Amino acid sequence: MHTRRTSRNLKVCHRVAFVFLLLFTLLAASSQSLAGNRMYDASWIAESFGNDNVNIGTGNSRYFEVYAVPWGNQGHSLNPLCDISSTPVTTAGVGTAWAPRGPGCRPLTAGEMPRPAKYGTLTPLGGSCPGAPLLVCSKTPPLYRNPLFFTAGGVARHTLIQGYTTVGGSPATMYLGPGDPNRGRGMKGAPLEGGGTATTTTAPAIPGKFAFNFPAANPVPATDGFRRTTIGSFPSVFPYLYSYTYANLRNDAGSFGAGQGFFSTGAATIGGADRTMATFTLKIGGGPVQTARVTRGANTFGGVMKLLGSYTNKVCYFYVGVCALGYGTWLYELIGAAGYKNVVDKYHPNASSVATKSFTTIKTFNYQNTALGSGYTRTLVAQRWPWTTGTVTVQATGRGPHDTFARRVGFDNRTAMGVGTVQLVSPVITQWLGATSSSMNETGGIAVMQIRFVPEPGVAASLI
């Protein structure tokens, strides 16, 4: 009797051992799938012109505030000033002078409908006016020609969306981190979203922290990668009567791993100096007006990934009673570019193991004041850096309409099987240079990208 019971127990043990062996084999096979292709979904947003310090100063500085780019919200309460079938004038009625601030709206004539071409809106002295607009020409450019800023019935969209408004419509009196459900539309913006297949390595230095890379998204068909095409309208900040945004963005090729971002893998100890932090400061008149500080995260994990496409802005800059129209790029597509970093080795014993310089691009675009027949230029200096799972702090409080102080933290919570989320952050620093001191200012922000690796359906089915 005892012998038969022992025999049964051995058979049960053998079966249990076989099941564990089978599960181990399947798990080993699934872990091997980390080498090769792995499915992911992702999101990308740049949190700009923000204020994390609540109850500091007056006005909007009392609240937590973020304007998320791409903006993608039609959030202006005043402009377009008139319906699509009319144009702004000094007083109501026909025959009054064109004026971008109104307060009246003149119905367009039959010759001007549908919306006139550029420089085609008649003024009281109107007539034929070929060629470029001059002072002797009695036509001015119509504002708000884009029908997407109007309803299907031609009524102007007037919805104020502020960067400090929560989902419930009240001011944010406390910090709301990325993904917080209380964030309002202005804080959420219009993130790039999507997914695809990434290629992962076979032997990570630390379990679960596999390096990975993925290809650039195709322009069409839009079935791979992450992307966003949208337009938006920022709330007006004087002297800008309106500020329209146009996004057509998708991910470029990305490469991520230990030592691939701001910091080399030995950044913490090389040379006995502090290699855990990188600081970039712009000083004007002896004092700092912009600072980006990056602290190394665990495993020195980071990488490089820019965007393809463009993010542009069209504005009406109001001065001397008229409107100067400007159109230019913000160069947000360059966020995630490789900075300048030298790897310390036997050939370069004194080189830096951290990024020492930004990737900097300069663009100049024109503002044209057609009513005065004159214009001026503004120069944009864009400083961009790679991605990191560390901590980024950005401050831009010296000059300009937006006082920015923001801090965002990256992380890597993937399991040993490689499933989970990697959050990477990258500082955004921009200088806007004009002809006068009043037209010079600085803005800042922090881009946040999440890559979520999901279990492969084949592995799950095999385990079941």
Side-chain angles (χ1 to χ4, degrees):
M1 182 76 176
H2 176 74
T3 302
R4 287 199 298 270
R5 185 180 302 115
T6 302
S7 177
R8 284 198 303 269
N9 290 341
L10 285 173
K11 290 179 180 178
V12 170
C13 290
H14 290 161
R15 289 168 183 162
V16 171
F18 174 77
V19 170
F20 273 106
L21 179 61
L22 177 62
L23 287 173
F24 177 80
T25 303
L26 290 171
L27 288 171
S30 67
S31 66
Q32 289 301 312
S33 68
L34 289 170
N37 296 330
R38 175 157 287 273
M39 297 172 58
Y40 75 91
D41 60 76
S43 64
W44 184 109
I45 196 74
E47 302 190 348
S48 299
F49 324 124
N51 173 43
D52 290 358
N53 290 331
V54 181
N55 296 321
I56 301 296
T58 60
N60 293 0
S61 297
R62 294 173 295 168
Y63 311 122
F64 167 70
E65 182 177 29
V66 163
Y67 285 92
V69 176
W71 176 243
N73 293 299
Q74 296 193 26
H76 205 297
S77 62
L78 299 177
N79 291 313
L81 179 66
C82 305
D83 294 352
I84 200 169
S85 61
S86 59
T87 192
V89 290
T90 51
T91 57
V94 178
T96 53
W98 178 83
R101 301 185 72 180
C105 296
R106 175 180 67 77
L108 298 174
T109 65
E112 294 172 318
M113 292 294 292
R115 297 293 291 171
K118 193 173 183 180
Y119 312 127
T121 302
L122 291 171
T123 62
L125 301 177
S128 61
C129 187
L134 301 172
L135 287 176
V136 297
C137 175
S138 298
K139 291 189 177 182
T140 51
L143 297 178
Y144 328 123
R145 288 188 302 274
N146 193 333
L148 296 177
F149 289 101
F150 301 85
T151 67
V155 178
R157 301 182 188 274
H158 290 159
T159 302
L160 180 61
I161 298 176
Q162 298 281 21
Y164 58 80
T165 304
T166 66
V167 68
S170 60
T173 56
M174 60 182 295
Y175 170 76
L176 304 175
D180 193 302
N182 289 317
R183 282 195 170 197
R185 289 173 56 186
M187 300 176 188
K188 295 176 181 177
L192 279 68
E193 295 177 327
T197 302
T199 302
T200 57
T201 61
T202 56
I206 299 175
K209 313 310 180 189
F210 288 79
F212 59 90
N213 58 75
F214 45 78
N218 293 316
V220 289
T223 57
D224 66 321
F226 41 107
R227 63 191 72 226
R228 176 69 68 176
T229 298
T230 186
I231 65 169
S233 173
F234 278 111
S236 63
V237 177
F238 194 83
Y240 294 99
L241 296 191
Y242 65 77
S243 179
Y244 295 157
T245 63
Y246 300 84
N248 182 14
L249 298 168
R250 65 188 190 279
N251 71 276
D252 199 350
S255 179
F256 302 88
Q260 293 188 33
F262 272 91
F263 304 93
S264 300
T265 52
T269 58
I270 291 175
D274 180 10
R275 305 289 181 173
T276 63
M277 182 180 294
T279 303
F280 310 87
T281 302
L282 172 68
K283 294 184 177 181
I284 301 294
V289 294
Q290 276 181 311
T291 300
R293 181 172 290 111
V294 183
T295 304
R296 201 204 79 172
N299 314 323
T300 63
F301 201 90
V304 172
M305 190 210 77
K306 297 185 292 185
L307 298 178
L308 298 172
S310 63
Y311 187 80
T312 52
N313 182 244
K314 181 180 291 184
V315 302
C316 167
Y317 188 90
F318 189 79
Y319 72 102
V320 293
V322 288
C323 193
L325 303 180
Y327 180 76
T329 175
W330 283 13
L331 295 176
Y332 270 45
E333 62 270 21
L334 299 181
I335 294 172
Y340 295 89
K341 177 182 64 177
N342 297 317
V343 176
V344 175
D345 56 28
K346 63 180 180 180
Y347 303 106
H348 306 89
N350 298 317
S352 175
S353 59
V354 303
T356 58
K357 186 179 178 182
S358 66
F359 179 88
T360 303
T361 302
I362 300 175
K363 287 283 186 179
T364 299
F365 51 94
N366 298 318
Y367 285 81
Q368 180 63 37
N369 191 318
T370 54
L372 296 179
S374 62
Y376 67 98
T377 61
R378 294 205 75 182
T379 301
L380 179 150
V381 181
Q383 292 182 264
R384 308 293 184 248
W385 288 272
W387 297 94
T388 179
T389 54
T391 301
V392 169
T393 304
V394 166
Q395 186 169 345
T397 57
R399 303 181 297 183
H402 296 283
D403 283 348
T404 296
F405 180 85
R407 180 178 180 269
R408 299 292 180 269
V409 181
F411 57 80
D412 187 348
N413 67 5
R414 289 175 292 172
T415 67
M417 301 303 299
V419 176
T421 301
V422 181
Q423 177 164 295
L424 299 118
V425 290
S426 181
V428 182
I429 290 291
T430 306
Q431 291 96 48
W432 307 82
L433 308 179
T436 62
S437 58
S438 62
S439 61
M440 296 187 181
N441 56 73
E442 295 77 32
T443 59
I446 301 175
V448 180
M449 179 169 60
Q450 287 193 353
I451 311 292
R452 294 171 287 272
F453 292 96
V454 298
E456 297 182 22
V459 173
S462 298
L463 290 174
I464 292 174

